[in-house]
Amino acid sequence: MTQLDSRPTAVDEHVDDEQLVVARKWHPWRWVTSIVVLTLVAQFVHGLATNPGWDWGTFAEYFAAPSILAALWLTIQLTFWGTLIGFVIGIALAIARLSNNPVLQTISWFYIWAFRSIPLIVQLLFWFNIAYLYQTLTLGIPFGPAFFEFDVNSVISGSTAAIIGLALHQAAYSAEIVRAGIISVDQGQLEAAAALGIPKHREFFKIILPQAMRGILPNAANEVISLFKGTSIVSVMAIAELFYQVQVVYGRNGRVVPLLMVATVWYIVLTSILSVVQFYVERHYAKGAVRNIPLTPVQKVRKKLSEITAPPRGGGTR
């Protein structure tokens, strides 16, 4: 037997894919960048822990104080009602703008144009001072007799004026979000549904709405988060929401930074919760649109751990 005959053939060297040893790639600049960023983060955290100006004792004293929690609850209420009423009106405006009725189209367009053009603070102050224009509200036949009459000051309080202002402002943006989601649906599917004789209400709820929600939800969630933070603007109306209450407290004790941190942390906590809800709702409506549903954070961690702890491919054979 010659040396040539003793060399292993290609068939002898064949191994299965699962038994191949995959060489790990090294990315040195990625590691350098990570180390620099982590160093900067560590410096920031060190400053938070050691700089006495942050005054964490005052922060801990007021973070869960009853007055702060009451103000936080009012902020959540303003956000909830502003979002709910705003989207109800916004859906109606979107439908009116998409309708074939020129009157409804014009009124809807004018409303959206006006409320997006006027700054929110101007709208809020207008509603807060509505009693200067109308001392009483009446219900009855337009241009005819009135059946009920109310005193505006007794009906529209400061909080009510804030909810009205936030909701009407939110409605203008919600209308455009809903309209954009609906018109993003492929027209070919609507034509196919019409050709198959599918009823209009079934076409809307089974075909249009599930697809439109994929475009509506991310923008709608951003609007809710923006509204939650935007409620701080009602502090100019002396309404005791979170930011106003924080100002009241640091106006008494002069501890500005820790009290601002109290508001900051609460805003971060609640916007984080809203972001988590947004993720799971988007994940739900992604079914049928993507081949692989995005993994949840828990599933991502489990996958990473399994990759770290699992032996390298082919490593068991050596």
Side-chain angles (χ1 to χ4, degrees):
M1 179 180 296
T2 63
Q3 290 185 346
L4 184 62
D5 295 334
S6 62
R7 292 174 57 185
T9 63
V11 176
D12 296 335
E13 293 179 349
H14 175 75
V15 292
D16 296 331
D17 291 343
E18 292 75 11
Q19 296 175 330
L20 291 173
V21 177
V22 180
R24 186 184 296 275
K25 290 184 178 180
W26 295 97
H27 304 278
W29 285 110
R30 184 184 298 176
W31 284 100
V32 170
T33 305
S34 300
I35 291 170
V36 170
V37 172
L38 287 175
T39 303
L40 294 176
V41 171
Q43 282 187 315
F44 177 71
V45 174
H46 180 264
L48 286 177
T50 58
N51 189 334
W54 292 103
D55 195 358
W56 293 111
T58 303
F59 171 85
E61 179 184 355
Y62 286 98
F63 183 70
S67 60
I68 296 294
L69 294 181
L72 179 67
W73 176 238
L74 179 57
T75 299
I76 294 172
Q77 287 180 305
L78 291 174
T79 305
F80 174 78
W81 289 114
T83 301
L84 180 64
I85 300 173
F87 269 92
V88 169
I89 298 174
I91 291 170
L93 288 170
I95 294 172
R97 197 167 176 197
L98 292 172
S99 71
N100 295 322
N101 188 324
V103 175
L104 294 181
Q105 284 184 2
T106 304
I107 293 176
S108 175
W109 179 89
F110 182 81
Y111 179 96
I112 294 169
W113 168 76
F115 278 85
R116 290 201 306 178
S117 301
I118 303 172
L120 177 57
I121 189 170
V122 176
Q123 298 178 38
L124 290 172
L125 290 175
F126 173 81
W127 289 108
F128 190 63
N129 295 283
I130 190 67
Y132 286 101
L133 293 175
Y134 305 100
Q135 285 76 33
T136 58
L137 289 176
T138 57
L139 294 177
I141 299 175
F143 304 105
F147 301 129
F148 301 99
E149 186 172 305
F150 305 95
D151 180 25
V152 170
N153 281 323
S154 63
V155 174
I156 302 179
S157 63
S159 299
T160 306
I163 290 173
I164 292 173
L166 292 172
L168 295 181
H169 181 78
Q170 186 72 13
Y173 290 91
S174 303
E176 286 299 274
I177 291 172
V178 173
R179 187 179 70 88
I182 292 175
I183 62 177
S184 66
V185 178
D186 185 10
Q187 291 296 310
Q189 298 188 32
L190 307 184
E191 294 170 359
L196 293 173
I198 298 176
K200 283 292 182 183
H201 70 280
R202 189 176 177 187
E203 174 187 315
F204 179 79
F205 287 104
K206 296 295 185 182
I207 298 175
I208 298 176
L209 189 60
Q211 298 181 71
M213 289 298 284
R214 295 175 196 137
I216 292 172
L217 281 173
N219 295 321
N222 285 334
E223 278 299 313
V224 174
I225 292 173
S226 177
L227 180 64
F228 173 67
K229 295 181 294 183
T231 55
S232 62
I233 203 171
V234 306
S235 61
V236 299
M237 301 160 63
I239 297 173
E241 50 77 48
L242 180 59
F243 185 62
Y244 179 84
Q245 189 60 35
V246 163
Q247 292 181 83
V248 169
V249 176
Y250 74 62
R252 290 199 304 258
N253 61 14
R255 306 289 188 180
V256 179
V257 173
L259 266 302
L260 287 179
M261 285 301 295
V262 168
T264 300
V265 172
W266 275 121
Y267 282 126
I268 290 175
V269 168
L270 292 181
T271 52
S272 300
I273 294 172
L274 290 173
S275 298
V276 171
V277 174
Q278 174 190 356
F279 171 79
Y280 280 99
V281 174
E282 287 183 13
R283 189 171 180 271
H284 171 76
Y285 281 99
K287 296 176 181 175
V290 295
R291 293 184 184 277
N292 298 314
I293 302 297
L295 297 177
T296 65
V298 175
Q299 290 173 333
K300 288 181 180 178
V301 171
R302 287 179 177 172
K303 182 181 179 183
K304 282 289 181 185
L305 291 175
S306 64
E307 290 175 354
I308 294 172
T309 56
R313 294 166 61 185
T317 61
R318 296 176 183 273

